[in-house]
Structure formats: C-alpha cells, structure tokens
Amino acid sequence: YLKEGEVATATRVDRLDRAINVLKNNEQRLVEAMNEDFGHRSEHQSLFTDVAASIGPLRHAQANVARWRKPEKRKVGPFPLNLLGAKARVEYQPLGVVGVISPWNFPVNLTFTPLAGILAAGNRCMIKPSEYTPATSEAMAEAIAAEFDSEEIAVITGGPQTSAGFSSLAFDHLLFTGATSIAKHVMRAASENLVPVTLELGGKSPVVIGRSADMDRTADAIMAGKMMNAGQIFLAPDYV
C-alpha cells in the first residue's frame, strides 16, 4: 500500500462501489449460505440485517468521503508561532492495512459495515470471518476475490489457530467484534506488535421504561429487540 502513495477520492469511491457490487451480485448466495450455517434463518431477516444494512453504510461513505478527507484548519499556538505567520491544519491520511475479525451472529453485516470506514479512509483490509459460519465465510471469500485484488482486500478462512495467527500480524489497526473472553486473547496478541485495537464486545443492555410510555408499543418493541436473530444480537435487552 505504501507504493500507492496518496489514495485518490475516485479510488476510494470505486472500492466502495465494488464492495456494494459484492453484496448486490451475491445477495441470494449469501442468504442461502447463512441459512445453511444457522440451520434455518429467515430470508427476510438476512436481506434486512445483513445485506441491506451493509449497503447503507457503504453508500453513506461514498457520499461523504470527499468531505471527510478535506484538511481542517487549526489555530496556531502557543507563542511565538502565532507571531511568525505560521499556519496549521490537520490532514487525514490512511493508516495502511486494517485487520477485521468478524463474528458469526451477523456474519455479512459485521464484515462489510466496517469496510465502509476502512475503504473510505483509503486503507487496505485483511478479513478473518468466523469459523462458526463456514458456508458464509467461504461465500464472502469467493465473492470478494471476484471484485478485489488480494492486495486490496484479502479474506483468510480457518479455525481458532488461524485466528490466533491473524491476531498476531503487524496490522496498522485491528478491529474485533465478538466475545469479551476472546477479545482478551486478541488484544494480547496485538500488543506484541503495538497494534491499535478497536473492540466491539457483548454486554448488558438495560431498558428503561418511563411512566408515560405506551405499554403495548413498548412491549412489542422490547420483544422485537430481544427476539431478533433468536436473541443473538449485542443490543438484545437483558433486563428492564
């Protein structure tokens, strides 16, 4: 990626467009793969939570990438720089290669949604999808390889040993979504190379109901949140 130099806005938009094409052109295959991995999964849910919900952030990034990368002026200080005609600005530059370890509960969404920010920022990406959804992981690997050169986006499939090796690579940033217990191992491995890590982990999700709430609507909303994806969602309400 260093050879590429400055990553043009047009290149970033093109990569985002190709990521959208992966989803649109392989929609049915991905839905069928998720159904196979889950034993059964609603086609409508997969289309909504994994396919459409991934296209939205990619489209948003396309529309805003030119604005996001513009330099921002800053005040010059302290003395004596503010007396010497100095000017200051922040210039946003790509990190380089970002690693993504995605989980099984929303295997497509939590692989492609991070790509919106990664590609918009001009980065390359290496992805390790979950071994618990092997059909979906393989479908994504083949679909991405058809649209992207492996030096742009590479998908590495495999089990726990592969994940451990992946976490140990000298990325410029590493993103992990999953269980807190696994996150400790990921962060420990990344620390050997001083890789900055972003963790999105499960936790307790409280629901607070006000006295003025419409209880019928509230109960419907809480149960919809609790039962989506059979409860396998980080936002599932744990207590009220």
Side-chain angles (χ1 to χ4, degrees):
Y1 72 93
L2 290 174
K3 294 178 183 177
E4 184 178 13
E6 184 177 359
V7 185
T9 298
T11 301
R12 303 180 193 206
V13 170
D14 172 65
R15 289 173 178 165
L16 290 164
D17 204 46
R18 283 185 279 148
I20 292 168
N21 287 342
V22 170
L23 293 166
K24 292 171 70 174
N25 295 339
N26 297 276
E27 178 181 283
Q28 194 57 38
R29 183 186 178 188
L30 292 170
V31 167
E32 291 171 0
M34 285 183 276
N35 190 57
E36 179 183 339
D37 284 328
F38 278 74
H40 169 72
R41 197 179 197 233
S42 164
E43 176 180 351
H44 301 292
Q45 183 194 296
S46 290
L47 287 171
F48 173 65
T49 61
D50 277 85
V51 179
S54 299
I55 291 174
L58 291 163
R59 289 280 188 217
H60 178 73
Q62 275 188 317
N64 290 279
V65 62
R67 179 173 61 86
W68 288 342
R69 62 174 308 204
K70 283 183 178 178
E72 294 181 3
K73 293 181 179 180
R74 291 288 190 271
K75 289 184 178 179
V76 177
F79 175 88
L81 292 178
N82 54 358
L83 301 178
L84 300 176
K87 294 181 179 180
R89 66 179 181 271
V90 176
E91 293 192 2
Y92 296 96
Q93 299 176 349
L95 289 171
V97 179
V98 178
V100 173
I101 303 175
S102 57
W104 63 268
N105 59 336
F106 293 99
V108 176
N109 181 304
L110 293 170
T111 297
F112 279 84
T113 297
L115 280 177
I118 291 167
L119 297 179
N123 298 305
R124 310 292 182 99
C125 187
M126 292 176 66
I127 300 166
K128 169 58 182 72
S130 175
E131 62 270 21
Y132 292 112
T133 48
T136 308
S137 296
E138 192 59 40
M140 288 193 295
E142 292 179 7
I144 288 172
E147 284 281 354
F148 288 91
D149 186 272
S150 61
E151 291 188 358
E152 293 177 302
I153 301 178
V155 181
I156 294 89
T157 58
Q161 286 300 110
T162 304
S163 296
F166 190 90
S167 303
S168 300
L169 296 176
F171 293 111
D172 296 290
H173 198 92
L174 179 60
L175 170 65
F176 171 81
T177 306
T180 304
S181 57
I182 305 299
K184 293 177 182 179
H185 297 292
V186 170
M187 199 165 190
R188 189 176 296 113
S191 70
E192 292 296 322
N193 293 305
L194 298 180
V195 173
V197 178
T198 298
L199 304 174
E200 183 189 351
L201 311 177
K204 290 299 170 187
S205 302
V207 175
V208 180
I209 303 174
R211 290 188 178 87
S212 62
D214 179 327
M215 291 307 298
D216 287 338
R217 292 180 62 191
T218 299
D220 284 347
I222 290 172
M223 290 311 299
K226 184 62 178 175
M227 300 307 295
M228 177 177 281
N229 204 34
Q232 294 293 346
I233 177 172
F234 299 130
L235 306 172
D238 285 297
Y239 53 93
V240 176

